[in-house]
Amino acid sequence: MTPGDPASAPFLDLLARTEDAVALAVDRAGRITACNRGFLRLAELGEEPLGRPLAEFLLDEAEAPRPTWPRPGEFRLLRLTLSPRSGCLHTLVGWAAGTETGVAILATRLMLTHSDVLARMSSLEDERVNLNRELHRKVRELEEARSELKTLTGLLPICAHCKKIRDDRGCWQHLEQYIQAHSSAQFTHGICGDCARELYPELRREPEP
């Protein structure tokens, strides 16, 4: 059947109305030019997202690889993972057909099939994508924490008398200034017992008889 064939009109109308399969078309730039109710339902959209990039509805490339679109006249197996809506992932499998103006896609949600094996495969794939997304989140958090972490290592030249530290430029800094500049430590000041007795002997309490 072809779109110009009158016999194909009922089929195309049925495809546009069905919610059990996803049918959509994108141009060579990856923008959606047409879609059916099945895509609207999975993407939780109230109207057709014409002109919007399909990538907007897919997981990041780091979490799920993007498909390679077929050239005009080619057919290619397709697997798409939609970005989670309401906390639920949707993995689609089907075919992509290259056209002169873009790509036509016909796919179905694995969980909608009657095969327990395929349903389990879809569930495992969703779990893998979720774990992969969580792993990338943890890696980003660790990278951010590492970038903020400052540590002191190696030998530090310190004055034996005043306890100043010589930095890489040869300048002498107070110990507190140097540590604050090269670590995340902050100082709060007090006075120890020995210094208190030496500097403020009048504050020393005499033992009661």
Side-chain angles (χ1 to χ4, degrees), residues 18-199:
T18 184
E19 296 186 2
D20 294 334
V22 170
L24 68 155
V26 297
D27 60 19
R28 285 294 163 184
R31 296 184 296 263
I32 298 174
T33 57
C35 66
N36 71 338
R37 291 183 180 178
F39 180 77
L40 296 178
R41 181 176 63 85
L42 290 184
E44 298 182 6
L45 297 172
E47 58 183 7
E48 294 184 0
L50 303 183
R52 293 168 63 179
L54 177 60
E56 182 180 329
F57 302 94
L58 304 179
L59 281 184
D60 293 337
E61 290 188 76
E63 303 177 61
R66 299 290 168 80
T68 302
W69 300 124
R71 292 179 299 209
E74 288 185 346
F75 287 84
R76 186 167 295 173
L77 284 172
L78 181 74
R79 187 183 190 94
L80 294 175
T81 303
L82 300 183
S83 183
R85 307 283 171 173
S86 303
C88 181
L89 287 170
H90 297 289
T91 301
L92 303 173
V93 291
W95 288 90
T99 67
E100 293 297 331
T101 57
V103 179
I105 299 170
L106 180 61
T108 182
R109 173 84 166 100
L110 283 179
M111 292 296 288
L112 295 178
T113 64
H114 298 288
S115 169
D116 292 337
V117 175
L118 288 179
R120 181 57 179 163
M121 287 174 58
S122 178
S123 177
L124 291 174
E125 174 65 13
D126 291 349
E127 183 178 353
R128 183 194 68 81
V129 172
N130 278 323
L131 290 175
N132 195 31
R133 177 151 33 90
E134 181 67 14
L135 176 61
H136 279 82
R137 187 181 66 82
K138 292 293 185 182
V139 169
R140 285 195 300 268
E141 290 179 355
L142 288 175
E143 290 293 338
E144 292 173 358
R146 188 174 66 176
S147 66
E148 295 176 359
L149 181 63
K150 296 181 180 180
T151 58
L152 293 174
T153 58
L155 297 175
L156 298 178
I158 186 170
C159 176
H161 177 68
C162 68
K163 306 305 180 183
K164 289 182 180 179
I165 295 178
R166 190 179 69 233
D167 60 20
D168 297 336
R169 297 174 298 174
C171 299
W172 291 91
Q173 291 182 310
H174 288 289
L175 178 64
E176 297 175 7
Q177 295 174 339
Y178 187 88
I179 292 179
Q180 287 180 339
H182 293 80
S183 74
S184 299
Q186 298 293 326
F187 285 90
T188 179
H189 296 83
I191 189 167
C192 69
D194 292 338
C195 291
R197 285 189 291 271
E198 179 181 350
L199 298 175

Side-chain angles (χ1 to χ4, degrees), residues 1 3 5-19 23 35-37:
M1 295 182 188
D5 183 1
S8 67
F11 173 76
L12 295 177
D13 185 61
L14 177 63
L15 194 61
R17 294 172 179 273
T18 184
E19 296 186 2
C35 66
N36 71 338
R37 291 183 180 178

